[in-house]
Amino acid sequence: MPKHQIPFARTVANLRAQVDAWHAANKTVALVPTMGALHTGHLSLVKLAETHADHVVVSIFVNPTQFAANEDLGTYPRDEVGDVEKLSAHKVDLIYAPTPEEMYPEGFSTTIAVNGISDGLCGSSRPHFFGGVATVVAKLFLQCRPDVAVFGEKDYQQLLVIRRMARDLDLPVNVIGAPIVREPDGLAMSSRNAYLSEVDRKTAPKLNELLRSAANLLAEGRATSKVIPNLKKRLSEAGFDVDYLEVRHAETLAPLDIIGKTPTRLFAAAILGKTRLIDNVVVPAPR
Ligand code: AMP
């Protein structure tokens, strides 16, 4: 698509005026929520959104409530000019980039908790995280009223949390998952990869490489109790400080010890230098 100038909305009122006009014309709307610093992974969500709705809205908002005080809110990469440039080569009809004050007016005091599915994995190491994510995404859904919203499987637990929230709260939006986009060496694309030092960037793809080989061993019938500790050891030797490595049901996130026919994924979070990396891979069904 030739580059084009994309309109901006900075307020809920301007966003709604546009989306209401589309809906009044019987057009459907897809929302792609992001925190900016866009890369090819984000753009793949935009492309998928295009195939599911007449109009695409991309939101860019670095959400303060999903960062703990000791996390990287202040240094999180921001590049609005670059983001607009990247999006302008795609069929994006509106960029919604509210200010923190527009999203969280003085006295804001509501939090959405999606219990159960938010526990464990990233919910254990970042206890504040899913409350912040669910709250801002609920707001984005209510502000934009999209027919469809697209989230990446890179943040797999987040995708399931949002899907559960939409179902539980009867939010009339179809939540679609998009496959993980990787660098040619296998590293899952992430805005936070920009934090990696040159040396760590060379080590980082090991996370996916070792996860994939562990998933294959599990599919061959090797015991989880052997494969996971061995994976942890190999990651530690490669320089990762492992946060979690877990085998879980791909739809419920229930922990799994025995690999059977149920859809299964292997989830990992590990710190490399100053960067926390997450990844997940499918565990193929045993043959
Ligand atoms: P973020 O800007 O990191 O909050 O991500 C915004 C959306 O893009 C989320 O739904 C992410 O899961 C998705 N996303 C980020 N990186 C990737 C990737 N490498 N592949 C697919 N989706 C991604």
Side-chain angles (χ1 to χ4, degrees):
M1 162 147 202
K3 289 201 168 179
H4 65 124
Q5 184 139 19
I6 307 170
F8 250 82
R10 299 248 181 226
T11 63
V12 179
N14 287 347
L15 169 70
R16 284 223 173 121
Q18 179 60 82
V19 173
D20 287 352
W22 286 328
H23 280 155
N26 271 328
K27 300 291 185 193
T28 54
V29 177
L31 173 67
V32 181
T34 80
M35 297 209 298
L38 301 181
H39 51 66
T40 309
H42 295 112
L43 298 174
S44 76
L45 270 52
V46 172
K47 281 191 202 147
L48 187 60
E50 266 177 42
T51 68
H52 284 276
D54 299 308
H55 294 288
V56 176
V57 178
V58 175
S59 65
I60 299 176
F61 182 63
V62 182
N63 176 36
T65 65
Q66 70 192 64
F67 291 78
N70 62 340
E71 292 184 344
D72 56 344
L73 175 63
T75 54
Y76 193 84
R78 290 167 169 86
D79 178 18
E80 194 174 276
V81 173
D83 291 344
V84 172
E85 171 75 15
K86 285 174 196 150
L87 292 173
S88 68
H90 292 266
K91 198 207 150 299
V92 174
D93 301 287
L94 186 69
I95 296 172
Y96 176 48
T99 59
E101 296 72 32
E102 179 75 4
M103 191 59 87
Y104 298 113
E106 187 70 34
F108 186 88
S109 44
T110 301
T111 304
I112 294 191
V114 187
N115 299 313
I117 204 141
S118 296
D119 302 338
L121 303 175
C122 285
S124 295
S125 9
R126 306 182 71 194
H128 55 281
F129 179 68
F130 286 117
V133 168
T135 305
V136 79
V137 173
K139 281 180 68 78
L140 288 168
F141 284 179
L142 293 163
Q143 292 170 344
C144 180
R145 297 189 280 238
D147 302 277
V148 170
V150 184
F151 290 82
E153 290 182 347
K154 153 99 189 333
D155 303 275
Y156 197 90
Q157 188 179 16
Q158 169 175 281
L159 165 65
L160 295 194
V161 166
I162 299 304
R163 206 171 255 158
R164 179 70 58 87
M165 175 189 76
R167 190 205 68 175
D168 287 357
L169 297 181
D170 304 304
L171 301 176
V173 53
N174 180 14
V175 176
I176 293 174
I180 302 176
V181 177
R182 298 181 181 281
E183 301 287 356
D185 59 16
L187 175 65
M189 289 191 182
S190 165
S191 307
R192 287 192 170 100
N193 291 349
Y195 299 154
L196 290 166
S197 69
E198 214 174 300
V199 174
D200 289 342
R201 175 63 190 81
K202 293 207 173 92
T203 306
K206 277 256 160 210
L207 177 60
N208 181 249
E209 188 189 314
L210 292 171
L211 279 179
R212 277 187 293 121
S213 62
N216 286 334
L217 291 174
L218 292 168
E220 283 167 15
R222 303 276 186 93
T224 314
S225 58
K226 292 258 163 28
V227 173
I228 298 299
N230 190 39
L231 172 60
K232 183 169 182 187
K233 183 165 162 279
R234 294 187 67 186
L235 283 166
S236 302
E237 283 164 3
F240 292 89
D241 179 6
V242 173
D243 179 1
Y244 62 75
L245 293 172
E246 291 197 43
V247 180
R248 297 225 173 186
H249 191 294
E251 283 153 19
T252 64
L253 292 189
L256 296 175
D257 286 328
I258 312 285
I259 311 302
K261 295 273 174 250
T262 46
T264 304
R265 285 203 176 226
L266 173 56
F267 294 88
I271 293 142
L272 187 60
K274 291 195 193 85
T275 314
R276 186 171 181 277
L277 301 174
I278 59 170
D279 200 351
N280 66 88
V281 297
V282 170
V283 179
R287 287 169 287 272

